[in-house]
Amino acid sequence: MDGEQQLSTWEGYVDWRNRPAVKGRHGGMLAAFFVLVVEVLENLAYLANASNLVLYLSKFMHFSPSSSANIVTNFMGTAFLLALLGGFLSDAFFSTYLIYLISAAIELVGLLILAIQAHVPSLKPPACDLGNISNPCREADGGKAGMLFAGLYLVALGVGGIKGSLPPHGAEQFDDNTPKGRKQRSTFFNYYVFSLSCGALIAVTFVVWIEDNKGWQWGFGISTASILISIPIFLLGSATYRTKIPTGSPITTIVKVLVAAICNAYKLRNCSNSVMSMATSPSYTTEIGGKEESCSKEMVPRQAPTESLKFLNNAVIDKPFHSALECTVKQVEEVKIVLRILPIFACTIMLNCCLAQLSTFSVQQAATMNTKLGTLKVPPASLPIFPVLFIMILAPTYNHIIIPFTRRTTKTEMGITHLQRIGTGLILSIVAMVVAAFVEIKRKRVAAESGLVHSSEPLPITFFWVALQYLFLGSADLFTLAGLMEFFFTEAPTSMRSLATALSWASLAMGYYLSSVLVSIVNSVTNSYSHHAWLFGNNLNHYHLEKFYWLMCGLSGLNFLHYLLWASRYKYRTASPDN
């Protein structure tokens, strides 16, 4: 009877009451469906503010345009980087289930603070006094600024925790050891990106319109209500979830193996040197034999690790440098896996740098064009609707048409491998930068022919031209984000899956930071050599944005070659997560 009960439970997983998770009752598509619905609401709450926040900071908090942009960049970058913290805590001490609930509560508190501040006039700086020429606008400071940043960074902490726990929680619902389970998990990641886009669509259309026309207190209120509703929906799925049992700090394991390998290598080298020095004296022949035998015993590993990254094999010698540094072959192999996926992670930062242009220069390009659709004028903050719509169309098409076709063609379970999918996204980002450069050349030619180079009036060219670069960047985002998350989750050791999946968000954050650094470097270099910075001033028509896009294209091309080097050498793990 006990054997039957053991066979019917998921080893290493529990239900929401910490009882063994049962096969057939816990996990599967129904459990993952609750996660997808929650992600729609969570991303709506986050992007409703992030996409239009720069306007709130400049118009109502009276920060300068550059300060407002920096605050938004830091806020978004911090939120995505904190996903690493959420993933780490999910793996090490808590479950993905608990981390989501804690993080959602933190984000809810942050949004409540922002909503209250937006609603109460005394908690904001006074309206601008245009009659006071010396100081017409008073920037938020003191307690008002403190309240603003407390709300923003509580939201960032909550968003980071959710991004670091919710995707792996959904992916954990599927069986690694069956082709059906692995295919369903791949479908989950595709629809996770689809759910992100659904939330973004509502955020950049309906909520942005509410903020611009009805007031920011309503915008923050909708976000607060959205995250509040997501919590009971998540809890409704509790009876269906299976949750991985935390196995301790993955970072501790990584550090332990690295330190053990270094210390043991040092010990073995000293041991070898002492034997050689004794060999020069004939009076120590007996000691040499004993010393050599002792050293050879220490150098023999207890088990045989793989030959890749051989230096780490020093961590499993018979007599380690210190008993606290005793490592198993399994721990060494897990650290090797992590080190092998890091170059792939690094190669996606440049792609996310390209994606950062969607919310910066691409929006500014479109804002100088004719943004009217009949009698409707499209607000600049709603322009990201293009990549969102493209992803919403592409995700089901990819999952239900492209993947089945490639499975039949290649006769493989995956159809398209994770690395092929990420590589496709990298190629599409290069194409997007080429298209963006040509669109900018056309936009500036229209400005010159219309005599509007020095004017801020809308140019007689439709903003739909910018939709071309949005199409390619949106496609790149779908291929890379879903592919990267599935790659990290599948390849990482089971004890590090949440942390590894969070690397996808860390790559996005680093892409945003790299974009800011590149702009600063380009302006500094071009200002030194030509006395006119490419990307400086109040008029986009005076920028050399097309040259910047060509630079991005070149850097992306070099990055792709770098990616090919690592991807061609990468060897996938077996289907079983413990092998």
Side-chain angles (χ1 to χ4, degrees):
M1 184 71 180
D2 290 339
E4 288 179 10
Q5 186 177 1
Q6 185 153 356
L7 284 173
S8 66
T9 60
W10 295 108
E11 186 180 350
Y13 292 87
V14 294
D15 66 5
W16 68 290
R17 292 180 178 175
N18 270 340
R19 298 176 301 190
V22 180
K23 293 182 179 180
R25 188 187 304 169
H26 300 108
M29 285 303 295
L30 177 61
F33 176 75
F34 285 101
V35 172
L36 295 176
V37 174
V38 166
E39 186 50 51
V40 173
L41 295 167
E42 186 277 328
N43 208 43
L44 189 164
Y46 169 62
L47 276 184
N49 302 314
S51 62
N52 209 19
L53 186 60
V54 68
L55 176 63
Y56 176 71
L57 294 172
S58 58
K59 190 173 180 181
F60 297 98
M61 291 296 168
H62 305 154
F63 289 102
S64 68
S66 58
S67 295
S68 300
N70 285 336
I71 291 169
V72 173
T73 304
N74 293 338
F75 164 69
M76 295 179 74
T78 301
F80 288 129
L81 277 180
L82 283 171
L84 291 173
L85 176 63
F88 168 74
L89 292 175
S90 297
D91 284 330
F93 308 112
F94 306 95
S95 62
T96 50
Y97 180 86
L98 280 176
I99 288 296
Y100 169 78
L101 291 173
I102 293 168
S103 302
I106 292 171
E107 185 176 353
L108 178 64
V109 172
L111 287 169
L112 276 172
I113 291 172
L114 293 174
I116 291 168
Q117 186 174 35
H119 181 68
V120 180
S122 61
L123 298 176
K124 294 181 290 186
C128 292
D129 182 7
L130 299 177
N132 185 351
I133 300 174
S134 61
N135 187 22
C137 291
R138 189 175 157 194
E139 187 179 289
D141 57 7
K144 296 181 178 67
M147 186 175 185
L148 171 70
F149 288 112
L152 281 178
Y153 282 92
L154 280 173
V155 171
L157 179 60
V159 168
I162 292 172
K163 300 294 188 194
S165 61
L166 200 59
H169 182 73
E172 283 169 3
Q173 307 308 317
F174 304 102
D175 186 2
D176 271 343
N177 300 311
T178 65
K180 180 183 177 183
R182 293 192 291 272
K183 288 177 181 178
Q184 286 180 330
R185 185 176 61 202
S186 183
T187 297
F188 165 77
F189 279 113
N190 288 331
Y191 275 95
Y192 180 83
V193 177
F194 178 83
S195 297
L196 286 172
S197 300
C198 288
L201 178 66
I202 301 169
V204 301
T205 53
F206 174 68
V207 183
V208 164
W209 184 87
I210 290 288
E211 289 167 348
D212 288 344
N213 294 277
K214 301 296 182 183
W216 267 85
Q217 65 272 28
W218 288 100
F220 285 127
I222 291 171
S223 295
T224 305
S226 178
I227 203 70
L228 183 62
I229 294 168
S230 74
I231 296 173
I233 290 177
F234 182 80
L235 291 172
L236 274 176
S238 294
T240 66
Y241 299 145
R242 67 171 197 162
T243 307
K244 182 171 66 70
I245 301 170
T247 54
S249 170
I251 293 178
T252 302
T253 302
I254 294 170
V255 172
K256 177 182 169 183
V257 169
L258 292 175
V259 172
I262 294 168
C263 292
N264 291 343
Y266 175 77
K267 178 186 177 183
L268 293 175
R269 188 171 71 249
N270 283 352
C271 181
S272 177
N273 289 342
S274 66
V275 169
M276 290 179 67
S277 65
M278 291 176 72
T280 60
S281 173
S283 61
Y284 286 105
T285 51
T286 306
E287 288 89 337
I288 290 171
K291 190 76 173 177
E292 282 181 335
E293 188 177 345
S294 173
C295 280
S296 64
K297 283 182 179 179
E298 289 180 2
M299 290 181 185
V300 175
R302 294 183 299 280
Q303 294 171 271
T306 59
E307 288 298 302
S308 64
L309 298 171
K310 289 179 70 173
F311 174 76
L312 294 179
N313 294 350
N314 291 322
V316 288
I317 63 172
D318 191 45
K319 294 181 180 178
F321 185 84
H322 191 277
S323 59
L325 296 177
E326 191 169 335
C327 300
T328 65
V329 170
K330 182 182 178 184
Q331 288 174 325
V332 171
E333 292 305 315
E334 286 179 347
V335 173
K336 286 182 180 182
I337 292 167
V338 172
L339 293 181
R340 283 200 297 266
I341 66 177
L342 285 180
I344 305 297
F345 157 75
C347 290
T348 62
I349 294 173
M350 189 64 215
L351 176 136
N352 285 313
C353 183
C354 295
L355 287 174
Q357 309 316 310
L358 289 177
S359 55
T360 54
F361 290 125
S362 294
V363 173
Q364 292 178 36
Q365 276 179 290
T368 67
M369 300 177 174
N370 179 8
T371 60
K372 288 186 177 179
L373 283 175
T375 57
L376 176 66
K377 186 174 182 180
V378 179
S382 293
L383 293 174
I385 190 175
F386 287 116
V388 166
L389 286 174
F390 291 140
I391 289 173
M392 290 179 70
I393 295 168
L394 282 168
T397 304
Y398 178 84
N399 194 73
H400 298 293
I401 298 176
I402 297 175
I403 284 297
F405 174 76
T406 55
R407 281 173 179 158
R408 288 194 299 270
T409 305
T410 62
K411 302 291 191 294
T412 59
E413 180 184 299
M414 296 175 68
I416 300 175
T417 68
H418 302 134
L419 293 177
Q420 288 171 343
R421 190 169 180 180
I422 295 167
T424 302
L426 294 176
I427 292 172
L428 288 169
S429 71
I430 297 171
V431 175
M433 290 296 99
V434 173
V435 170
F438 279 119
V439 169
E440 176 61 8
I441 290 169
K442 180 176 179 61
R443 190 193 69 81
K444 289 178 73 173
R445 186 187 304 130
V446 170
E449 291 172 353
S450 307
L452 296 173
V453 172
H454 306 292
S455 173
S456 59
E457 291 181 31
L459 301 175
I461 175 175
T462 177
F463 72 111
F464 276 112
W465 280 98
V466 178
L468 291 172
Q469 62 213 56
Y470 277 105
L471 168 63
F472 287 106
L473 283 172
S475 304
D477 193 19
L478 170 67
F479 275 94
T480 305
L481 181 58
L484 200 61
M485 293 178 79
E486 186 178 356
F487 172 72
F488 286 149
F489 184 90
T490 305
E491 293 298 296
T494 51
S495 60
M496 305 180 190
R497 279 181 162 177
S498 298
L499 181 62
T501 308
L503 286 174
S504 308
W505 304 111
S507 173
L508 193 59
M510 291 180 185
Y512 272 93
Y513 290 141
L514 178 61
S515 177
S516 299
V517 170
L518 272 178
V519 170
S520 299
I521 292 173
V522 164
N523 279 339
S524 178
V525 172
T526 54
N527 192 50
S528 299
Y529 285 93
S530 64
H531 304 293
H532 180 70
W534 283 1
L535 309 169
F536 185 76
N538 295 320
N539 191 331
L540 197 69
N541 297 331
H542 297 158
Y543 281 37
H544 291 288
L545 191 55
E546 73 286 356
K547 294 181 180 178
F548 178 69
Y549 282 145
W550 287 124
L551 174 66
M552 295 281 285
C553 179
L555 292 175
S556 297
L558 292 173
N559 179 67
F560 180 67
L561 294 176
H562 181 225
Y563 173 78
L564 286 179
L565 172 69
W566 292 104
S568 61
R569 298 168 63 182
Y570 189 86
K571 292 182 180 178
Y572 287 96
R573 301 177 67 197
T574 57
S576 172
D578 296 320
N579 288 342

